[in-house]
Amino acid sequence: MSTETVHIEIDGVRYALRFGYAALRQLGKLWELNDLQEIFLRLGKLGDASDGTLSIPMLDTFGDMILAAIIANKENDATVLDNEIVVETIMKDHSIIQEVMQSYIAALPQPEKKKAAPVKRVPVKKVRKKS
């Protein structure tokens, strides 16, 4: 899990983003969803923006993700922000999207990597051929 803090500057104010459960809970509130699976399904519909093509629904979703991460950090005063202000910031710098996506993913619980069980070596008896 990454401990590096991601910041975004909006209208001259620098906000520290918080990811993980707190941000997912805020997304649930923004989208009026109570089920984490429904939230993940909606995030999964973002598609691939690696070619630089962004639709309005994609921008809205990214804006909500950033807004939720700002609200999740109680040190921020997010009362003056809304999705439109956040999306305008994203449109000026698309690299924010990649950084936010990576941070959301890094903050999710990762399955434990199980170590392979040691292989038990069974002694092999040599069989002598009868002559």
Side-chain angles (χ1 to χ4, degrees):
M1 181 195 247
S2 175
T3 58
E4 185 178 331
T5 302
V6 176
H7 292 88
I8 185 170
E9 188 170 318
I10 301 173
D11 292 337
V13 178
R14 191 169 190 223
Y15 297 94
L17 280 58
R18 179 176 178 199
F19 300 97
Y21 174 72
L24 291 173
R25 188 179 68 226
Q26 292 301 324
L27 273 176
K29 286 180 182 180
L30 288 171
W31 294 340
E32 299 178 358
L33 299 174
N34 292 318
D35 186 337
L36 281 175
Q37 187 173 4
E38 290 179 35
I39 293 169
F40 290 133
L41 284 172
R42 185 155 175 186
L43 292 173
K45 291 180 182 176
L46 282 171
D48 183 14
S50 61
D51 65 355
T53 305
L54 296 171
S55 67
I56 289 175
M58 288 172 79
L59 285 170
D60 284 341
T61 300
F62 286 127
D64 286 344
M65 291 172 70
I66 293 169
L67 185 58
I70 291 171
I71 294 168
N73 185 343
K74 306 254 185 250
E75 295 176 11
N76 294 324
D77 176 14
T79 57
V80 296
L81 296 178
D82 63 17
N83 181 290
E84 192 172 303
I85 294 169
V86 174
V87 170
E88 286 175 5
T89 302
I90 293 171
M91 291 177 67
K92 294 174 189 170
D93 182 3
H94 289 188
S95 69
I96 295 168
I97 294 171
Q98 183 177 358
E99 189 172 10
V100 167
M101 286 300 294
Q102 289 172 346
S103 296
Y104 262 96
I105 292 167
L108 294 175
Q110 302 298 318
E112 268 189 48
K113 291 183 181 178
K114 294 184 179 182
K115 294 181 181 177
V119 177
K120 292 184 180 180
R121 297 186 184 248
V122 179
V124 177
K125 292 184 180 179
K126 292 185 179 179
V127 181
R128 292 186 186 181
K129 291 184 181 179
K130 293 182 181 180
S131 7

